[in-house]
């Protein structure tokens, strides 16, 4: 196993997951908030704010899962059974959401039902993803090459906290995306929601940060010993600056700012996670090198990825560019 | 049964259930994507608007089938980890990259160009639109390429070595893995099956409207095209199936023994058991109807060639004979009925009765869903026939399953069954509703849909400051 290739693959998988969190995050967030939008134009407008891009967004989840199996098969084989219930819940939530998304337009008689499916599906999928993250952080039992814990190990106050935090986080992403992409009443509603969600997210991040060292002392060491300390000391400053900028921009900044500052907060939390975990793929148990696929598999995939991922990114960027600007309230006649 | 055995059985049922549901949609959308490309190509060449109308008609159905194929496919990609984690660990270095390539080459291509295709050519121009249609069709075929390569490798594994932690790892060239011995046959057989499945659905819809007296140009055209497809492709498929069977005999003899229902060995020529009730316990086929020497003729192209039976294989290495025997017969019988439909349509053409022979139309209508049944039956034959191995002769199914507790698997199985029946029943009802209307001479573009997917140049949207280019009908519906 070539250590450099393995590091490269760790970055690629991390990138796919991050791309997923950012891109599907805001459309899941719109689903979570869907209940609070007025039935009718507002809901249609919210839906159209994500409709052009959400198919591509969700593909990153397949990329993350498929890539994990291909590049780190051992991690895939341990993590998925360990998180059986939340992953199944996430899949079922995504099915409901994806199909409701299609059918609410085509089956107007049952639109309320499909709207509910869209909301619940988004909520369940998000909550399950947050629980998955928390369960990973709190550590999973490994014996040999398999998961060795129980079926409810994932369910702890800590994982529920991370689940709730992600729901708040995605909802804030969704609200700030709508501030950017919508006009009129939906835009005002989105600002109102963001004003509540932003402090809630800060409280949630604070709670998770405080709880994490108690869940696994190793994280504490990582953060408060050199070189983690270099990042740990200024981190609150970065967070504070991003939070202030976000709060200000929700009040009177330009419409694109709240979303971008929310992304900055997400990026900081993901950086924090990476520092806590690195270089493990299953925290405290399995390192990326232990889980890595053989070099020939990594090289084979790298050849394709080197060509295709930039192509996909270019294409995705272009489609976001094509759909820049606001989704009109009245629609085009 | 111990808890582990129950969990294994439930995991197998769950896999069979979720993949059967999933497979229906790609089987349909692979064929339909190519049909759409043909329709648009014909329209561009001839300028005949009947092709354009058919294109728009089937495109709406394609969009629904595609969406359901995608969401059920996401489940499949995670199920390898949740329920078959030991398989994922051991085979991940070989299977993982093949599936990753499916995502990279096929998924993104389809998701990317679907939007352009659905959005309508009025916004992107004919050339770019046709390119998008072709890319969607290519995407579905690439997807079939990679997933069948992975599946074929599990049937006829080559190009692998075992590393010191017991994983299958690539040895030498990836070409050996991708183009493993059964892959070409399986790919061609499956893709043709998808084309036939689509042709039968299209023909069934055409026949339905002809029977209802809606003798429109579009209805005639689609019925005629579908019948050509059945007449030309059904015989090809039977030949390809024969080659595929010979390949299976060479590499997976136990599977063929189970398909044939041969427990005994026949040193001087084997009979073909047409029907019967295989009994694995008693190692015999009850109430069998046999044609002497025919099995030898089919398998070895000679009357007196010897054929070995399952008694030469240890009991714990035999596939479940009953399921394989019967699913194989269902597939073959449907294949010959498809051939019959094709030949009948040729006769009808010769007598100039293609559009008014009601019995033919009724038969075509009944055969409408036959492709799905045949595809599932064929898949059951090949997958169950591989048992008790998940990687043939190398990794047993019972050694590939996750260390699961049966309550966890049964709970998830129940959840899948409920969700799939709710969601996919709604989709099927909607597709049938679309099919219940004949293609209108001026088929509109899909309007009552969200702005879909990326890759579109909505000139209108940009010009109007990003205004929503979709005619907003939803409020009307809301009232």
């Amino acid at each position: 196993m070539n250590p450099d290739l393995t590091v490269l693959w760790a970055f690629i998988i991390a990138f796919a997951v991050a791309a997923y969190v950012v891109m599907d995050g805001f459309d899941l967030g719109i689903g979570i908030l869907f209940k609070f939008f007025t039935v009718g134009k507002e809901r249609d407008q919210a839906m159209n704010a994500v409709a052009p891009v959400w198919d591509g967004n969700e593909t990153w989840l397949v990329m993350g899962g498929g890539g994990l199996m291909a590049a780190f098969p051992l991690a895939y084989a341990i993590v998925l059974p360990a998180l059986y219930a939340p992953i199944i819940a996430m899949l079922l939530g995504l099915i409901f959401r994806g199909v409701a998304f299609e059918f609410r337009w085509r089956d107007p008689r049952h639109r309320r039902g499909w709207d509910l499916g869209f909301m619940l599906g988004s909520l369940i999928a998000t909550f399950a993803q947050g629980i998955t993250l928390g369960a990973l952080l709190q550590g999973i039992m490994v014996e040999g090459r398999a998961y060795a814990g129980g079926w409810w190990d994932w369910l702890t106050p800590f994982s529920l906290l991370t689940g709730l935090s992600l729901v708040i986080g995605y909802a804030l992403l969704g609200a700030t995306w709508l501030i950017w992409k919508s006009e009129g009443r939906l835009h005002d509603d989105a600002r109102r929601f963001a004003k509540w969600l932003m402090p809630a997210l800060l409280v949630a991040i604070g709670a998770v940060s405080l709880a994490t060292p108690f869940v696994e002392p190793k994280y504490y060491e990582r953060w408060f010993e050199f070189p983690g300390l270099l990042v740990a000391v200024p981190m609150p400053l970065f967070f504070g600056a991003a939070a202030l900028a976000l709060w200000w921009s929700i009040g009177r900044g330009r419409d694109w700012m709240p979303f971008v500052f929310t992304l900055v907060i997400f990026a900081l939390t993901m950086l924090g996670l990476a520092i806590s975990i690195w270089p493990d793929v299953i925290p405290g148990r399995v390192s990326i090198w232990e889980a890595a696929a053989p070099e020939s598999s990594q090289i084979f995939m790298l050849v394709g990825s080197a060509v295709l991922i930039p192509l996909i990114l270019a294409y995705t960027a272009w489609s976001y560019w094509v759909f820049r600007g606001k989704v009109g309230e009245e629609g085009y006649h | 049964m111990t808890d582990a055995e129950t969990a294994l059985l439930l995991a197998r049922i769950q896999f069979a259930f979720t993949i059967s549901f999933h497979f229906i949609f790609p089987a349909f959308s692979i064929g339909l994507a190519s049909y759409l490309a043909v329709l648009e190509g014909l329209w561009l060449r001839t300028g005949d608007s009947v092709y354009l109308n058919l294109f728009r008609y089937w495109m709406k159905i394609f969009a629904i089938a595609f969406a359901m194929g995608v969401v059920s496919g996401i489940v499949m990609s995670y199920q390898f980890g949740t329920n078959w984690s030991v398989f994922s660990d051991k085979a991940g270095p070989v299977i993982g990259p093949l599936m990753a390539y499916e995502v990279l080459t096929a998924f993104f291509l389809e998701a990317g160009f679907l939007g352009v295709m659905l959005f309508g050519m009025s916004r992107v121009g004919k050339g770019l639109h046709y390119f998008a249609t072709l890319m969607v069709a290519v995407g579905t075929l690439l997807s079939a390429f990679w997933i069948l390569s992975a599946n074929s490798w599990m049937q006829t594994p080559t190009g692998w070595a075992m590393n010191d932690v017991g994983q299958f790892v690539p040895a030498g060239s990836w070409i050996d893995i991708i183009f493993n011995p059964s892959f070409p046959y399986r790919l061609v057989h499956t893709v043709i099956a998808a084309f036939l499945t689509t042709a039968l659905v299209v023909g069934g819809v055409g026949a339905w409207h002809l029977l209802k007296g809606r003798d429109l140009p579009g209805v005639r055209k689609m019925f005629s095209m579908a019948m050509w497809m059945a007449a030309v492709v059904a015989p090809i498929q039977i030949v390809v199936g024969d080659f595929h069977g010979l390949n299976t005999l060479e590499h997976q003899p136990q599977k063929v023994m189970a398909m044939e229902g041969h427990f005994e060995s026949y040193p001087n020529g084997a009979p073909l058991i047409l029907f019967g009730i295989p009994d694995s316990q008693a190692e015999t086929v009850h109430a069998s109807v046999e044609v002497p020497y025919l099995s030898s003729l089919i398998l070895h192209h000679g009357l007196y060639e010897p054929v070995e039976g399952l008694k030469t294989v240890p009991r714990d290495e035999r596939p479940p004979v009953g399921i394989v025997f019967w699913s194989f017969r269902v597939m073959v019988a449907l294949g010959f009925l498809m051939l019959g439909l094709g030949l009948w349509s040729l006769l009808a053409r010769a007598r100039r009765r293609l559009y008014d022979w009601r019995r033919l139309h009724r038969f075509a209508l009944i055969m409408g869903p036959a492709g799905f049944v045949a595809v599932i039956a064929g898949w059951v034959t090949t997958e169950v026939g591989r048992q008790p191995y998940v990687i043939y002769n190398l990794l047993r199914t019972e050694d590939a399953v996750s260390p699961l507790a049966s309550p966890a698997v049964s709970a998830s199985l129940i959840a899948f069954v409920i969700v799939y029946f709710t969601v996919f029943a709604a989709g099927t009802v909607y597709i049938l509703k679309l099919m219940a209307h004949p293609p209108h001479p001026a088929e509109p573009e899909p309007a009552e849909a969200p702005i879909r997917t990326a890759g579109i140049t909505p000139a209108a949207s940009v010009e109007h400051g990003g205004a929503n280019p979709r005619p907003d009908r939803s409020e009307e519906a809301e009232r």
Side-chain angles (χ1 to χ4, degrees):
Chain A
M1 267 165 274
N2 186 324
D4 298 328
L5 260 183
T6 302
V7 171
L8 192 57
W9 268 107
F11 274 103
I12 292 174
I13 303 294
F15 176 81
V17 173
Y20 173 76
V21 166
V22 168
M23 291 201 253
D24 217 23
F26 69 76
D27 56 49
L28 281 165
I30 286 170
I32 293 165
L33 294 172
F34 214 63
K35 180 88 180 67
F36 305 105
F37 302 141
T38 318
V39 174
K41 277 183 202 166
E42 266 199 61
R43 288 193 174 183
D44 295 349
Q45 196 188 348
M47 206 60 125
N48 270 334
V50 291
V53 288
W54 88 280
D55 263 337
N57 294 349
E58 204 159 276
T59 311
W60 289 99
L61 180 68
V62 187
M63 174 69 197
L68 187 68
M69 179 181 176
F72 301 101
L74 180 62
Y76 183 81
I78 293 172
V79 170
L80 268 75
L83 299 167
Y84 195 78
I87 284 182
I88 300 279
M90 176 189 81
L91 294 174
L92 294 173
L94 290 177
I95 290 180
F96 257 108
R97 168 171 166 269
V99 174
F101 188 91
E102 292 289 324
F103 284 176
R104 75 177 296 277
W105 302 97
R106 301 187 157 93
D107 180 19
R109 267 189 301 166
H110 302 107
R111 182 164 292 155
R112 274 161 204 273
W114 291 121
D115 281 359
L116 187 69
F118 182 64
M119 192 200 73
L120 285 179
S122 304
L123 187 65
I124 290 170
T126 305
F127 194 53
Q129 284 173 12
I131 285 178
T132 301
L133 174 67
L136 264 182
L137 281 175
Q138 74 197 7
I140 54 182
M141 293 272 293
V142 181
E143 248 169 52
R145 299 178 72 80
Y147 174 61
W151 297 109
W152 298 96
D153 284 10
W154 53 270
L155 185 64
T156 62
F158 180 72
S159 69
L160 291 177
L161 177 64
T162 53
L164 182 67
S165 306
L166 197 68
V167 171
I168 297 170
Y170 280 0
L172 181 61
L173 268 178
T176 53
W177 177 256
L178 285 180
I179 293 175
W180 188 358
K181 300 297 286 186
S182 71
E183 326 175 295
R185 194 168 154 197
L186 181 62
H187 176 90
D188 299 338
D189 280 351
R191 276 197 196 265
R192 208 157 44 79
F193 297 150
K195 275 192 177 154
W196 284 99
L197 289 165
M198 184 241 159
L201 181 63
L202 285 189
V203 171
I205 291 175
V208 174
S209 305
L210 285 178
T212 306
F214 296 98
V215 172
E216 172 67 57
K218 207 169 179 178
Y219 301 140
Y220 185 86
E221 292 164 22
R222 287 255 167 85
W223 278 94
F224 296 107
E225 279 168 20
F226 199 78
L229 199 64
L230 284 180
V231 188
V233 170
M235 202 61 141
L237 291 175
F238 292 145
F239 261 110
L244 278 177
L246 176 58
W247 182 252
W248 170 80
S249 69
I250 293 172
R252 60 187 89 105
R254 300 183 59 175
D255 287 351
W256 55 268
M257 288 178 169
F259 183 69
V260 172
F261 290 130
T262 309
L263 283 189
V264 172
I265 290 182
F266 262 78
L268 288 172
T269 54
M270 286 193 272
L271 181 66
L273 278 175
I275 291 169
S276 306
I277 295 173
W278 178 264
D280 290 348
V281 62
I282 298 175
R285 308 282 175 179
V286 182
S287 77
I288 56 170
W289 294 287
E290 286 166 325
E295 195 180 308
S296 59
S297 302
Q298 291 182 335
I299 291 174
F300 175 60
M301 280 190 299
L302 197 62
V303 175
S305 304
V307 179
L308 293 165
I309 291 180
L311 208 76
I312 291 161
L313 285 176
Y315 159 78
T316 306
W318 176 67
S319 73
Y320 274 78
W321 170 250
V322 161
F323 284 98
R324 69 192 180 278
K326 301 237 182 224
V327 177
E329 189 174 16
E330 289 302 320
Y332 170 77
H333 292 285
Chain B
M1 261 199 273
T2 66
D3 189 69
E5 283 166 351
T6 314
L8 171 66
L9 183 67
L10 287 167
R12 290 181 63 188
I13 293 172
Q14 185 167 331
F15 195 86
F17 176 79
T18 48
I19 203 159
S20 300
F21 253 93
H22 170 65
F23 198 24
I24 287 172
F25 300 109
F28 186 39
S29 54
I30 289 169
L32 206 47
S34 294
Y35 184 50
L36 288 172
V38 168
L39 285 172
E40 192 175 4
L42 284 171
W43 173 65
L44 289 173
R45 248 180 62 181
T46 64
D48 187 347
S49 67
V50 73
Y51 292 116
L52 178 63
N53 286 324
L54 278 180
F55 174 82
R56 289 180 170 163
Y57 179 81
W58 285 106
M59 183 171 69
K60 290 174 212 162
I61 292 165
F62 177 81
I64 308 276
F66 185 85
M68 292 195 289
V70 169
V71 288
S72 56
I74 292 177
V75 172
M76 296 318 302
S77 70
Y78 278 83
Q79 196 163 90
F80 288 112
T82 52
N83 288 2
W84 303 98
S85 65
V86 181
F87 167 79
S88 301
D89 175 27
K90 287 182 185 294
V94 172
I95 296 287
L98 300 179
M99 300 211 297
Y101 265 100
E102 187 198 5
V103 180
L104 288 170
T105 61
F107 263 41
F108 279 107
L109 200 66
E110 291 166 283
F113 286 97
L114 182 68
V116 189
M117 192 174 102
L118 293 181
F119 214 83
M121 54 199 79
S122 55
R123 296 203 171 80
V124 292
K126 288 178 188 174
L128 182 55
H129 187 269
Y130 187 47
F131 179 70
T133 309
L134 286 177
M135 285 303 108
V136 172
V138 169
T140 60
L141 292 171
L142 280 174
S143 188
F145 177 92
W146 290 109
I147 211 69
L148 282 164
S149 174
N151 180 266
S152 298
W153 186 84
M154 290 160 67
Q155 307 270 357
T156 53
T158 45
W160 59 275
M162 185 78 77
N163 70 6
D164 48 11
V165 291
Q167 289 175 309
F168 294 89
V169 297
S173 167
W174 272 90
I175 299 289
D176 293 340
I177 292 172
I178 298 169
F179 297 95
N180 58 77
S182 66
F183 170 58
Y185 301 94
R186 207 177 300 278
L187 178 68
V188 173
H189 197 50
T190 308
V191 169
I192 291 181
F195 287 170
L196 261 178
T197 298
T198 305
L200 289 171
V201 172
V202 172
V205 172
W208 165 257
H209 293 302
L210 287 172
L211 283 168
K212 288 274 164 185
R214 299 171 193 136
D215 195 353
L216 300 162
V219 170
R220 279 187 170 220
K221 185 62 82 184
M222 73 172 151
F223 184 68
S224 171
M225 289 177 87
M227 289 305 107
W228 274 125
M229 194 74 181
V232 174
V233 175
I236 296 177
Q237 179 71 323
I238 290 171
V239 174
V240 171
D242 183 50
F243 277 110
H244 184 29
L246 293 179
N247 177 267
T248 306
L249 180 66
E250 185 182 342
H251 296 279
Q252 299 179 288
Q254 295 104 296
K255 188 192 282 186
V256 175
M257 293 172 198
M259 283 156 67
E260 299 282 313
H262 285 159
F263 287 99
E264 304 294 336
S265 296
Y266 299 89
N268 305 313
L272 182 74
I273 303 174
L274 287 178
F275 296 104
I277 303 158
D279 184 340
S280 296
Q281 285 303 335
E283 301 186 308
T284 183
V285 180
H286 302 295
S288 65
V289 180
E290 300 180 3
V291 181
Y293 303 114
L294 189 56
S295 183
S296 286
L297 186 67
I298 293 170
L299 294 174
H300 296 288
H301 297 183
L303 288 182
Y304 306 108
E305 297 291 324
V307 171
E308 289 201 319
L310 282 167
K311 283 186 176 174
T312 61
V313 179
R315 268 183 183 264
D316 69 340
E317 286 180 24
R318 296 179 194 169
V321 181
I323 298 174
V324 180
F325 181 86
W326 273 107
S327 60
F328 178 62
R329 266 146 197 75
V330 168
M331 178 190 75
V332 171
L334 287 171
F336 279 101
L337 284 174
M338 292 171 201
L339 178 69
L341 179 65
L343 295 177
W344 192 349
S345 76
L346 290 180
L347 181 69
R349 267 181 228 276
R351 292 190 183 174
R352 304 193 172 279
R353 290 193 60 193
L354 189 63
Y355 305 114
D356 57 16
W357 200 339
R358 294 184 71 83
R359 281 194 182 175
L360 171 65
H361 300 160
R362 275 195 211 108
F363 184 45
L365 179 62
I366 294 166
M367 289 295 284
F372 296 113
V373 180
V375 157
I376 299 283
W379 177 81
V380 166
T381 307
T382 201
E383 299 299 290
V384 177
R386 186 187 51 198
Q387 300 304 321
Y389 294 100
V390 62
I391 300 174
Y392 197 66
N393 281 346
L394 296 172
L395 181 65
R396 293 178 75 94
T397 308
E398 67 208 47
D399 299 328
V401 73
S402 300
L404 291 167
S406 60
V409 203
S410 48
S412 64
L413 176 60
I414 291 168
F416 274 118
V417 169
I418 292 172
V419 169
Y420 275 38
F421 274 110
T422 319
V423 162
F424 297 128
T428 310
V429 167
Y430 188 75
I431 286 180
L432 289 175
K433 266 189 190 168
L434 286 174
M435 289 176 172
H437 299 284
H440 193 266
E443 193 69 26
E445 290 185 30
E448 68 282 18
I451 311 167
R452 278 285 307 256
T453 326
I456 305 148
T457 321
S461 156
V462 177
E463 280 164 23
H464 294 267
N468 174 3
R470 185 181 60 84
D472 202 339
R473 290 186 177 178
S474 48
E475 297 99 322
E476 295 160 31
E478 204 73 42
R479 291 178 207 128

